[in-house]
Amino acid sequence: MPNVVDTQVANRRDSRVAMPDGEILLQQGGSGPPLLFLHGGGAGTWGRLQDLLASSFDVLAPVHPAFGASDEMEGVEGMDDLVYHYLDLLDRLELGRVALVGSSFGGWLAAELAVHSPQRFSELVLISPVGLRIPEHPLRDIFLMTPDERVEILFRHPERLPAPDPTDTDAILTNYKNMMALARFGWSPFMNNPKLERRLYRVTARTLVVAPAEDRLVPRAHDERYASRIAGARLIVVDDAAHVAEMETPEAIAAPILEFLTGGAR
Amino acid sequence: MKFNFFHLMPYPYLPDDFDERYSSMSLNYPNRYFDPGIGRELYHRYLDQLEWAEELGFDGLAVNEHHQTSYGLMPAPNIMAAALARRTSRAQIMVLGNAIPVRDNPLQVAEEIAMLDHLTDGRLVSGFVRGIGWEYFAHSVNPTRSSERFEEAHDLIIKAWTTDEPFAYVTRNYEYRYVSIWPRPLQQPHPPIVMAGGGTPETTRWAAKHRHLYMAVIAPTPSIKRWFDNYRRVAAEDGWEPGPDRFGWVTPCYVGETDRKAIDEAREPIEWYFNKSLRQPPGAGLPPGYISLDAMRASLASGQVRGAGRGATTIEELIAGGFIVVGSPDTVSERIAELSETLGFEHLGVNLTVGSIAESQARENIEAFAKEVMPRFRSAAEQESAQQGGEGT
């Protein structure tokens, strides 16, 4: 996996962490209180958003089991296994209580963690999270798209992306691996846990939901539902950002997230 | 050579603006284009053709499973086999096959096949398939579990047929606490098994491991050869040599008076079939996990990316590529003999009612194949016995 390590970020480092079913890649950087960042459906590579968060936090950006540079870890079968995987990881890193930020699929995972072990998360930030079953506002089917359509749906400015190289087999394989991983956890039920919504009352973290204004994958009703079911949650809409704001417009979402995380009483 | 009359039962009537409006006739193609009156007529027409094929001397009649598509109207192949069971008396009834990983309850497949074995007086051949990509969308089955569901469901079915004491069957994907099916199958230990597939390395390997008949579907000749060679290599590793009876090939086929006439007559239905009906819904061709990461890597390395859209093709290209057999009775017979020799298969499945073919044209094609091609592969005695039964049923 190519991974450009930004030397501007203090303590930027990668490590492999052995878990019961295989190894994951743990990316870390920055200094300050610990912040666990849970990536969306891609490879989970450290990027500009993590750089920005690392200015105020010790950012831990692990790659989920089965995704990107982490092992396939077949024993991690479903969302419940992922929750235990991350509780184990926090234990292993001796982190009692952290700020938790998740994007898209990672937002769903973050919400599940905050429901399961509310005492371990001081803040919760959900960026265009999936995970809720709202039949009247279905998600677009990320699996039933050509690569071109996927880019159109996910990005605000797909025309600015470099053209994909059809001969780059490593990229095709990485993408296939990530889609397989996403399908493992999110094919059926489709990107949701039907029980999650009625469990959200358990969340005690200060919560911010970040809705990119131009999200064409996740209808706004999902962001709003999270914000309305989690006590005291705030919802902000970020202009000129699409579903993959994490990658495409990191500056635009980093500012309100940092303001939320550093502004409130801890 | 065993000749199997293979039917897909397509619904061939598309709206005039189909090409502009729809990228595929599967999964999300609106079923308002299904006219119930025409549907009723098609089922009876197609079943009549299958029954008639027995009269004409085919060794087997093959039905199959496809979901949510105008390409084939058989979501429940066992129902079609049941419709044929008591209207035929000699030919094997091949269910080619049940898409067991797509089913919620594979034990019911074991029960249905056992019933069919009795209804057919032991003429049933039980095929299993993985199912096509879009069917994992249609039935909300996780494609990352496809391969293991297939294997676990297969093992359950065989065990249910061959165990005479109640047993429990618990695997990663299934939990059955009490299995003791009634009826048990008529054929002992169980009906013959066929694996029909498109060359996925894991499935070919799996078929070889179980010594099942492997029937390859539409692909260019070099691909079929690679799949069969893969089977033979696995068999060799296990210390046995599969004969031609372990291999089958399914192909669209058209027999005309001359090569020229055959090509002219078959052009429209064949090109309809390949250019319209085989088009997958965009993105659905290869759902994630349907093949493993290793198989994907191998597939990319061999330059063969599965699920990629195929551009429009012509009947000439299809003949040259070995996808189809079209021509005069001489040409068709020679081509089948040659491919059977090169690829080493004994079971041939012919789709003579291909694509948008008209009823009268289909009948001519079926008759020409049965009367002018099949007898060349049989002795007089074999031909006579193949035509006994079936009539007057």
Side-chain angles (χ1 to χ4, degrees), chain A residues 72 74-75 77 141 143-146 149-150 169 172-174 176-177 179-181 183-188, chain B residues 27-28 136-137 140-145 172 281-284 286-293 296-297 300:
Chain A
E72 288 201 62
E74 287 179 8
E77 292 183 7
D141 192 342
F143 298 116
L144 193 63
M145 289 178 194
T146 62
E149 287 169 336
R150 197 168 291 135
T169 53
I172 295 170
L173 276 172
T174 301
Y176 188 69
K177 182 180 182 185
M179 291 303 281
M180 265 173 78
R184 182 195 297 187
F185 301 111
W187 187 276
S188 182
Chain B
L27 186 62
N28 282 328
Y136 286 80
F137 290 86
S140 281
V141 173
N142 195 325
T144 65
R145 296 293 183 95
R172 192 153 93 115
L286 183 60
Y290 184 88
I291 63 171
S292 69
L293 203 54
M296 185 66 167
R297 193 175 287 118
L300 287 168

Short mmCIF file of all heavy atoms in Angstrom, two decimals, chain A residues 72 74-75 77 141 143-146 149-150 169 172-174 176-177 179-181 183-188, chain B residues 27-28 136-137 140-145 172 281-284 286-293 296-297 300:
data_model
loop_
_atom_site.label_atom_id
_atom_site.label_comp_id
_atom_site.label_asym_id
_atom_site.label_seq_id
_atom_site.Cartn_x
_atom_site.Cartn_y
_atom_site.Cartn_z
N GLU A 72 -7.69 -9.98 5.76
CA GLU A 72 -9.10 -10.29 5.46
C GLU A 72 -9.91 -10.66 6.71
O GLU A 72 -11.10 -10.37 6.78
CB GLU A 72 -9.20 -11.41 4.40
CG GLU A 72 -8.80 -10.91 3.01
CD GLU A 72 -9.36 -11.79 1.89
OE1 GLU A 72 -10.59 -11.89 1.79
OE2 GLU A 72 -8.55 -12.40 1.17
N GLU A 74 -11.43 -13.28 8.39
CA GLU A 74 -12.76 -13.85 8.11
C GLU A 74 -13.61 -14.02 9.37
O GLU A 74 -14.83 -14.08 9.28
CB GLU A 74 -12.62 -15.18 7.37
CG GLU A 74 -12.20 -14.93 5.93
CD GLU A 74 -12.01 -16.21 5.13
OE1 GLU A 74 -12.34 -17.29 5.66
OE2 GLU A 74 -11.54 -16.09 4.00
N GLY A 75 -12.95 -14.09 10.51
CA GLY A 75 -13.72 -14.25 11.74
C GLY A 75 -14.51 -13.01 12.13
O GLY A 75 -15.41 -13.08 12.97
N GLU A 77 -17.19 -11.18 11.13
CA GLU A 77 -18.23 -11.46 10.14
C GLU A 77 -19.24 -10.34 9.97
O GLU A 77 -19.82 -10.20 8.91
CB GLU A 77 -19.04 -12.70 10.57
CG GLU A 77 -18.28 -13.98 10.52
CD GLU A 77 -19.17 -15.17 10.89
OE1 GLU A 77 -20.40 -14.99 11.05
OE2 GLU A 77 -18.63 -16.27 11.01
N ASP A 141 -27.85 2.41 -4.04
CA ASP A 141 -27.15 1.12 -3.92
C ASP A 141 -25.72 1.24 -4.45
O ASP A 141 -25.47 1.16 -5.65
CB ASP A 141 -27.92 0.02 -4.67
CG ASP A 141 -27.38 -1.36 -4.34
OD1 ASP A 141 -26.25 -1.46 -3.81
OD2 ASP A 141 -28.09 -2.35 -4.59
N PHE A 143 -23.46 -0.83 -4.44
CA PHE A 143 -22.97 -2.04 -5.11
C PHE A 143 -23.46 -2.14 -6.55
O PHE A 143 -22.85 -2.81 -7.37
CB PHE A 143 -23.42 -3.30 -4.35
CG PHE A 143 -22.89 -3.36 -2.95
CD1 PHE A 143 -23.74 -3.33 -1.86
CD2 PHE A 143 -21.51 -3.45 -2.73
CE1 PHE A 143 -23.24 -3.39 -0.57
CE2 PHE A 143 -21.01 -3.51 -1.44
CZ PHE A 143 -21.88 -3.48 -0.35
N LEU A 144 -24.59 -1.51 -6.82
CA LEU A 144 -25.19 -1.64 -8.16
C LEU A 144 -24.87 -0.40 -8.99
O LEU A 144 -25.75 0.35 -9.39
CB LEU A 144 -26.70 -1.84 -8.03
CG LEU A 144 -27.42 -2.30 -9.30
CD1 LEU A 144 -26.93 -3.66 -9.74
CD2 LEU A 144 -28.93 -2.32 -9.09
N MET A 145 -23.58 -0.18 -9.18
CA MET A 145 -23.15 0.98 -9.94
C MET A 145 -21.90 0.61 -10.71
O MET A 145 -21.10 -0.20 -10.24
CB MET A 145 -22.75 2.13 -8.99
CG MET A 145 -23.89 2.78 -8.27
SD MET A 145 -23.25 4.06 -7.14
CE MET A 145 -24.73 4.33 -6.17
N THR A 146 -21.74 1.24 -11.86
CA THR A 146 -20.46 1.10 -12.55
C THR A 146 -19.47 2.02 -11.81
O THR A 146 -19.88 2.92 -11.08
CB THR A 146 -20.57 1.56 -14.00
OG1 THR A 146 -20.94 2.95 -14.01
CG2 THR A 146 -21.63 0.75 -14.75
N GLU A 149 -20.35 5.62 -12.41
CA GLU A 149 -21.53 6.08 -11.68
C GLU A 149 -21.19 6.30 -10.20
O GLU A 149 -21.67 7.25 -9.58
CB GLU A 149 -22.65 5.04 -11.78
CG GLU A 149 -23.31 4.96 -13.14
CD GLU A 149 -24.23 3.74 -13.28
OE1 GLU A 149 -24.04 2.73 -12.55
OE2 GLU A 149 -25.13 3.79 -14.11
N ARG A 150 -20.36 5.41 -9.68
CA ARG A 150 -20.01 5.50 -8.26
C ARG A 150 -19.32 6.84 -7.98
O ARG A 150 -19.63 7.52 -7.02
CB ARG A 150 -19.12 4.31 -7.90
CG ARG A 150 -19.01 4.05 -6.42
CD ARG A 150 -18.36 2.70 -6.14
NE ARG A 150 -19.22 1.60 -6.52
CZ ARG A 150 -18.82 0.52 -7.20
NH1 ARG A 150 -17.56 0.40 -7.57
NH2 ARG A 150 -19.67 -0.43 -7.50
N THR A 169 -3.91 -2.99 -12.24
CA THR A 169 -4.59 -4.13 -11.60
C THR A 169 -4.54 -4.03 -10.08
O THR A 169 -5.45 -4.49 -9.41
CB THR A 169 -3.97 -5.47 -12.05
OG1 THR A 169 -2.57 -5.43 -11.83
CG2 THR A 169 -4.24 -5.73 -13.52
N ILE A 172 -7.51 -2.07 -9.14
CA ILE A 172 -8.75 -2.84 -9.32
C ILE A 172 -8.91 -3.84 -8.17
O ILE A 172 -9.99 -3.99 -7.60
CB ILE A 172 -8.74 -3.57 -10.68
CG1 ILE A 172 -8.75 -2.53 -11.83
CG2 ILE A 172 -9.93 -4.52 -10.81
CD1 ILE A 172 -8.50 -3.14 -13.20
N LEU A 173 -7.79 -4.49 -7.81
CA LEU A 173 -7.85 -5.48 -6.73
C LEU A 173 -8.16 -4.82 -5.39
O LEU A 173 -8.95 -5.35 -4.60
CB LEU A 173 -6.51 -6.23 -6.63
CG LEU A 173 -6.35 -7.41 -7.57
CD1 LEU A 173 -4.92 -7.93 -7.50
CD2 LEU A 173 -7.32 -8.53 -7.21
N THR A 174 -7.53 -3.68 -5.13
CA THR A 174 -7.79 -2.98 -3.87
C THR A 174 -9.25 -2.57 -3.79
O THR A 174 -9.90 -2.74 -2.75
CB THR A 174 -6.89 -1.73 -3.76
OG1 THR A 174 -5.54 -2.16 -3.83
CG2 THR A 174 -7.12 -1.00 -2.46
N TYR A 176 -11.74 -4.00 -5.35
CA TYR A 176 -12.55 -5.21 -5.18
C TYR A 176 -12.52 -5.68 -3.72
O TYR A 176 -13.54 -6.05 -3.15
CB TYR A 176 -12.05 -6.32 -6.12
CG TYR A 176 -12.94 -7.55 -6.17
CD1 TYR A 176 -14.20 -7.50 -6.75
CD2 TYR A 176 -12.52 -8.76 -5.62
CE1 TYR A 176 -15.02 -8.62 -6.80
CE2 TYR A 176 -13.33 -9.89 -5.67
CZ TYR A 176 -14.58 -9.81 -6.25
OH TYR A 176 -15.39 -10.93 -6.29
N LYS A 177 -11.33 -5.61 -3.12
CA LYS A 177 -11.20 -6.01 -1.72
C LYS A 177 -12.07 -5.13 -0.82
O LYS A 177 -12.78 -5.62 0.07
CB LYS A 177 -9.74 -5.93 -1.27
CG LYS A 177 -9.53 -6.38 0.16
CD LYS A 177 -8.09 -6.30 0.62
CE LYS A 177 -7.98 -6.80 2.07
NZ LYS A 177 -6.63 -6.65 2.63
N MET A 179 -14.74 -3.38 -1.66
CA MET A 179 -16.16 -3.63 -1.91
C MET A 179 -16.60 -4.95 -1.28
O MET A 179 -17.72 -5.08 -0.77
CB MET A 179 -16.45 -3.63 -3.42
CG MET A 179 -16.30 -2.27 -4.08
SD MET A 179 -17.35 -0.98 -3.34
CE MET A 179 -18.91 -1.38 -4.10
N MET A 180 -15.70 -5.95 -1.32
CA MET A 180 -16.00 -7.22 -0.66
C MET A 180 -16.19 -7.01 0.84
O MET A 180 -17.09 -7.58 1.46
CB MET A 180 -14.82 -8.19 -0.85
CG MET A 180 -14.95 -9.13 -1.99
SD MET A 180 -13.40 -10.06 -2.20
CE MET A 180 -13.55 -11.27 -0.93
N ALA A 181 -15.30 -6.20 1.41
CA ALA A 181 -15.38 -5.95 2.85
C ALA A 181 -16.69 -5.23 3.17
O ALA A 181 -17.40 -5.60 4.11
CB ALA A 181 -14.18 -5.12 3.29
N ALA A 183 -19.41 -5.30 1.48
CA ALA A 183 -20.52 -6.23 1.27
C ALA A 183 -20.64 -7.20 2.45
O ALA A 183 -21.74 -7.55 2.87
CB ALA A 183 -20.34 -7.00 -0.03
N ARG A 184 -19.49 -7.62 2.98
CA ARG A 184 -19.52 -8.54 4.11
C ARG A 184 -20.36 -7.95 5.25
O ARG A 184 -21.18 -8.62 5.85
CB ARG A 184 -18.10 -8.80 4.60
CG ARG A 184 -18.04 -9.80 5.75
CD ARG A 184 -16.70 -9.79 6.46
NE ARG A 184 -15.57 -10.19 5.62
CZ ARG A 184 -14.34 -10.38 6.08
NH1 ARG A 184 -14.08 -10.23 7.36
NH2 ARG A 184 -13.36 -10.72 5.26
N PHE A 185 -20.17 -6.65 5.52
CA PHE A 185 -20.85 -6.03 6.66
C PHE A 185 -22.17 -5.37 6.28
O PHE A 185 -23.01 -5.14 7.14
CB PHE A 185 -19.93 -4.98 7.30
CG PHE A 185 -18.63 -5.55 7.78
CD1 PHE A 185 -17.44 -5.23 7.15
CD2 PHE A 185 -18.61 -6.45 8.84
CE1 PHE A 185 -16.23 -5.76 7.59
CE2 PHE A 185 -17.41 -6.99 9.28
CZ PHE A 185 -16.21 -6.65 8.65
N GLY A 186 -22.32 -5.05 4.98
CA GLY A 186 -23.45 -4.19 4.66
C GLY A 186 -24.33 -4.62 3.49
O GLY A 186 -25.11 -3.82 2.99
N TRP A 187 -24.21 -5.88 3.05
CA TRP A 187 -25.06 -6.29 1.91
C TRP A 187 -26.50 -6.49 2.35
O TRP A 187 -27.44 -6.02 1.72
CB TRP A 187 -24.51 -7.57 1.28
CG TRP A 187 -25.23 -7.95 0.02
CD1 TRP A 187 -26.39 -8.66 -0.07
CD2 TRP A 187 -24.86 -7.62 -1.32
NE1 TRP A 187 -26.76 -8.80 -1.39
CE2 TRP A 187 -25.84 -8.18 -2.18
CE3 TRP A 187 -23.78 -6.93 -1.89
CZ2 TRP A 187 -25.78 -8.04 -3.56
CZ3 TRP A 187 -23.72 -6.80 -3.27
CH2 TRP A 187 -24.72 -7.35 -4.09
N SER A 188 -26.66 -7.23 3.42
CA SER A 188 -28.00 -7.54 3.89
C SER A 188 -27.98 -7.80 5.39
O SER A 188 -27.27 -8.70 5.83
CB SER A 188 -28.54 -8.77 3.14
OG SER A 188 -29.85 -9.06 3.57
N LEU B 27 -33.18 -7.86 -13.45
CA LEU B 27 -33.19 -7.22 -12.14
C LEU B 27 -34.18 -6.06 -12.03
O LEU B 27 -35.14 -6.16 -11.30
CB LEU B 27 -31.79 -6.77 -11.70
CG LEU B 27 -31.71 -6.23 -10.26
CD1 LEU B 27 -32.07 -7.30 -9.26
CD2 LEU B 27 -30.32 -5.66 -9.96
N ASN B 28 -33.88 -4.96 -12.76
CA ASN B 28 -34.71 -3.77 -12.61
C ASN B 28 -35.53 -3.45 -13.84
O ASN B 28 -36.04 -2.34 -13.96
CB ASN B 28 -33.83 -2.56 -12.27
CG ASN B 28 -33.42 -2.58 -10.82
OD1 ASN B 28 -34.16 -3.06 -9.97
ND2 ASN B 28 -32.24 -2.08 -10.55
N TYR B 136 -28.14 -12.15 -6.75
CA TYR B 136 -27.75 -11.84 -5.37
C TYR B 136 -28.34 -10.50 -4.93
O TYR B 136 -28.56 -10.26 -3.74
CB TYR B 136 -26.22 -11.88 -5.23
CG TYR B 136 -25.75 -13.32 -5.25
CD1 TYR B 136 -25.62 -14.02 -6.45
CD2 TYR B 136 -25.54 -14.00 -4.06
CE1 TYR B 136 -25.25 -15.35 -6.46
CE2 TYR B 136 -25.17 -15.33 -4.06
CZ TYR B 136 -25.03 -16.00 -5.27
OH TYR B 136 -24.68 -17.33 -5.26
N PHE B 137 -28.58 -9.62 -5.91
CA PHE B 137 -29.29 -8.38 -5.61
C PHE B 137 -30.79 -8.69 -5.46
O PHE B 137 -31.44 -8.22 -4.54
CB PHE B 137 -29.10 -7.36 -6.74
CG PHE B 137 -27.71 -6.79 -6.84
CD1 PHE B 137 -26.73 -7.44 -7.57
CD2 PHE B 137 -27.40 -5.61 -6.21
CE1 PHE B 137 -25.46 -6.92 -7.67
CE2 PHE B 137 -26.13 -5.06 -6.31
CZ PHE B 137 -25.14 -5.72 -7.04
N SER B 140 -31.46 -10.58 -2.21
CA SER B 140 -30.76 -10.07 -1.01
C SER B 140 -29.90 -11.13 -0.34
O SER B 140 -29.93 -11.28 0.87
CB SER B 140 -31.76 -9.52 0.01
OG SER B 140 -32.18 -8.23 -0.37
N VAL B 141 -29.16 -11.87 -1.15
CA VAL B 141 -28.24 -12.85 -0.59
C VAL B 141 -26.83 -12.29 -0.69
O VAL B 141 -26.43 -11.78 -1.74
CB VAL B 141 -28.33 -14.19 -1.34
CG1 VAL B 141 -27.26 -15.16 -0.86
CG2 VAL B 141 -29.71 -14.80 -1.15
N ASN B 142 -26.10 -12.38 0.40
CA ASN B 142 -24.77 -11.77 0.44
C ASN B 142 -23.80 -12.55 -0.46
O ASN B 142 -23.50 -13.71 -0.19
CB ASN B 142 -24.25 -11.76 1.88
CG ASN B 142 -23.07 -10.83 2.04
OD1 ASN B 142 -22.24 -10.70 1.15
ND2 ASN B 142 -22.99 -10.18 3.18
N PRO B 143 -23.29 -11.91 -1.52
CA PRO B 143 -22.42 -12.64 -2.46
C PRO B 143 -21.09 -13.05 -1.83
O PRO B 143 -20.45 -13.97 -2.32
CB PRO B 143 -22.20 -11.63 -3.59
CG PRO B 143 -22.45 -10.30 -3.00
CD PRO B 143 -23.48 -10.50 -1.92
N THR B 144 -20.71 -12.40 -0.73
CA THR B 144 -19.46 -12.80 -0.08
C THR B 144 -19.63 -14.17 0.59
O THR B 144 -18.66 -14.79 0.97
CB THR B 144 -18.98 -11.78 0.97
OG1 THR B 144 -19.91 -11.72 2.05
CG2 THR B 144 -18.83 -10.39 0.35
N ARG B 145 -20.88 -14.63 0.73
CA ARG B 145 -21.12 -15.97 1.28
C ARG B 145 -21.47 -16.98 0.19
O ARG B 145 -21.75 -18.14 0.49
CB ARG B 145 -22.28 -15.92 2.28
CG ARG B 145 -22.03 -15.08 3.52
CD ARG B 145 -20.94 -15.72 4.37
NE ARG B 145 -20.71 -14.98 5.61
CZ ARG B 145 -21.29 -15.28 6.77
NH1 ARG B 145 -22.10 -16.30 6.86
NH2 ARG B 145 -21.04 -14.57 7.85
N ARG B 172 -21.56 -22.74 9.17
CA ARG B 172 -21.54 -21.29 9.39
C ARG B 172 -22.83 -20.64 8.89
O ARG B 172 -23.32 -19.70 9.49
CB ARG B 172 -20.34 -20.68 8.66
CG ARG B 172 -20.09 -19.24 9.09
CD ARG B 172 -18.64 -18.84 8.93
NE ARG B 172 -18.38 -18.22 7.65
CZ ARG B 172 -17.99 -16.94 7.52
NH1 ARG B 172 -17.84 -16.19 8.59
NH2 ARG B 172 -17.75 -16.45 6.34
N PRO B 281 -27.25 -6.03 -15.74
CA PRO B 281 -27.49 -4.69 -15.21
C PRO B 281 -26.13 -4.06 -14.85
O PRO B 281 -25.28 -4.75 -14.30
CB PRO B 281 -28.32 -4.93 -13.95
CG PRO B 281 -28.85 -6.32 -14.08
CD PRO B 281 -27.89 -7.08 -14.94
N PRO B 282 -25.93 -2.77 -15.16
CA PRO B 282 -24.62 -2.16 -14.91
C PRO B 282 -24.19 -2.33 -13.45
O PRO B 282 -24.95 -2.04 -12.54
CB PRO B 282 -24.85 -0.69 -15.23
CG PRO B 282 -26.01 -0.68 -16.16
CD PRO B 282 -26.87 -1.82 -15.77
N GLY B 283 -22.98 -2.84 -13.27
CA GLY B 283 -22.46 -3.02 -11.93
C GLY B 283 -22.83 -4.34 -11.29
O GLY B 283 -22.26 -4.72 -10.27
N ALA B 284 -23.77 -5.09 -11.88
CA ALA B 284 -24.25 -6.31 -11.23
C ALA B 284 -23.52 -7.56 -11.70
O ALA B 284 -23.71 -8.63 -11.14
CB ALA B 284 -25.75 -6.49 -11.47
N LEU B 286 -20.51 -8.77 -11.54
CA LEU B 286 -19.66 -9.51 -10.60
C LEU B 286 -19.81 -8.87 -9.22
O LEU B 286 -19.02 -8.02 -8.84
CB LEU B 286 -18.20 -9.44 -11.06
CG LEU B 286 -17.20 -10.21 -10.23
CD1 LEU B 286 -17.53 -11.69 -10.19
CD2 LEU B 286 -15.80 -10.00 -10.77
N PRO B 287 -20.84 -9.27 -8.46
CA PRO B 287 -21.00 -8.66 -7.15
C PRO B 287 -19.81 -9.01 -6.25
O PRO B 287 -19.22 -10.08 -6.40
CB PRO B 287 -22.31 -9.27 -6.62
CG PRO B 287 -22.53 -10.49 -7.43
CD PRO B 287 -21.85 -10.30 -8.74
N PRO B 288 -19.45 -8.11 -5.34
CA PRO B 288 -18.24 -8.31 -4.54
C PRO B 288 -18.28 -9.60 -3.74
O PRO B 288 -19.26 -9.87 -3.04
CB PRO B 288 -18.21 -7.08 -3.62
CG PRO B 288 -19.56 -6.47 -3.68
CD PRO B 288 -20.14 -6.85 -5.01
N GLY B 289 -17.23 -10.40 -3.87
CA GLY B 289 -17.13 -11.63 -3.11
C GLY B 289 -17.67 -12.84 -3.84
O GLY B 289 -17.50 -13.96 -3.39
N TYR B 290 -18.32 -12.63 -4.99
CA TYR B 290 -18.82 -13.77 -5.77
C TYR B 290 -17.65 -14.67 -6.15
O TYR B 290 -17.76 -15.89 -6.16
CB TYR B 290 -19.55 -13.27 -7.00
CG TYR B 290 -20.20 -14.35 -7.84
CD1 TYR B 290 -21.49 -14.78 -7.56
CD2 TYR B 290 -19.52 -14.93 -8.90
CE1 TYR B 290 -22.09 -15.77 -8.32
CE2 TYR B 290 -20.12 -15.92 -9.67
CZ TYR B 290 -21.39 -16.34 -9.38
OH TYR B 290 -21.97 -17.32 -10.14
N ILE B 291 -16.51 -14.04 -6.50
CA ILE B 291 -15.27 -14.80 -6.57
C ILE B 291 -14.31 -14.24 -5.53
O ILE B 291 -14.43 -13.09 -5.12
CB ILE B 291 -14.62 -14.79 -7.99
CG1 ILE B 291 -14.23 -13.37 -8.41
CG2 ILE B 291 -15.55 -15.40 -9.01
CD1 ILE B 291 -13.41 -13.33 -9.69
N SER B 292 -13.37 -15.07 -5.10
CA SER B 292 -12.44 -14.66 -4.05
C SER B 292 -11.44 -13.65 -4.60
O SER B 292 -11.30 -13.48 -5.80
CB SER B 292 -11.70 -15.88 -3.51
OG SER B 292 -10.81 -16.36 -4.52
N LEU B 293 -10.73 -13.02 -3.68
CA LEU B 293 -9.69 -12.07 -4.07
C LEU B 293 -8.61 -12.78 -4.90
O LEU B 293 -8.13 -12.24 -5.90
CB LEU B 293 -9.08 -11.47 -2.80
CG LEU B 293 -8.40 -10.12 -2.91
CD1 LEU B 293 -9.30 -9.06 -3.51
CD2 LEU B 293 -7.92 -9.68 -1.53
N MET B 296 -9.90 -13.34 -8.34
CA MET B 296 -9.91 -12.05 -9.04
C MET B 296 -8.50 -11.72 -9.52
O MET B 296 -8.31 -11.28 -10.65
CB MET B 296 -10.43 -10.97 -8.09
CG MET B 296 -10.59 -9.62 -8.74
SD MET B 296 -11.88 -9.64 -10.02
CE MET B 296 -12.10 -7.90 -10.30
N ARG B 297 -7.53 -11.96 -8.66
CA ARG B 297 -6.13 -11.69 -9.01
C ARG B 297 -5.73 -12.53 -10.22
O ARG B 297 -5.15 -12.03 -11.18
CB ARG B 297 -5.24 -11.99 -7.80
CG ARG B 297 -3.82 -11.46 -7.94
CD ARG B 297 -3.02 -11.67 -6.65
NE ARG B 297 -3.43 -10.78 -5.59
CZ ARG B 297 -3.94 -11.16 -4.41
NH1 ARG B 297 -4.10 -12.45 -4.16
NH2 ARG B 297 -4.31 -10.28 -3.51
N LEU B 300 -7.41 -11.29 -13.37
CA LEU B 300 -6.78 -10.08 -13.90
C LEU B 300 -5.45 -10.42 -14.57
O LEU B 300 -5.11 -9.87 -15.61
CB LEU B 300 -6.55 -9.06 -12.78
CG LEU B 300 -7.79 -8.35 -12.25
CD1 LEU B 300 -7.45 -7.61 -10.96
CD2 LEU B 300 -8.34 -7.38 -13.27
#
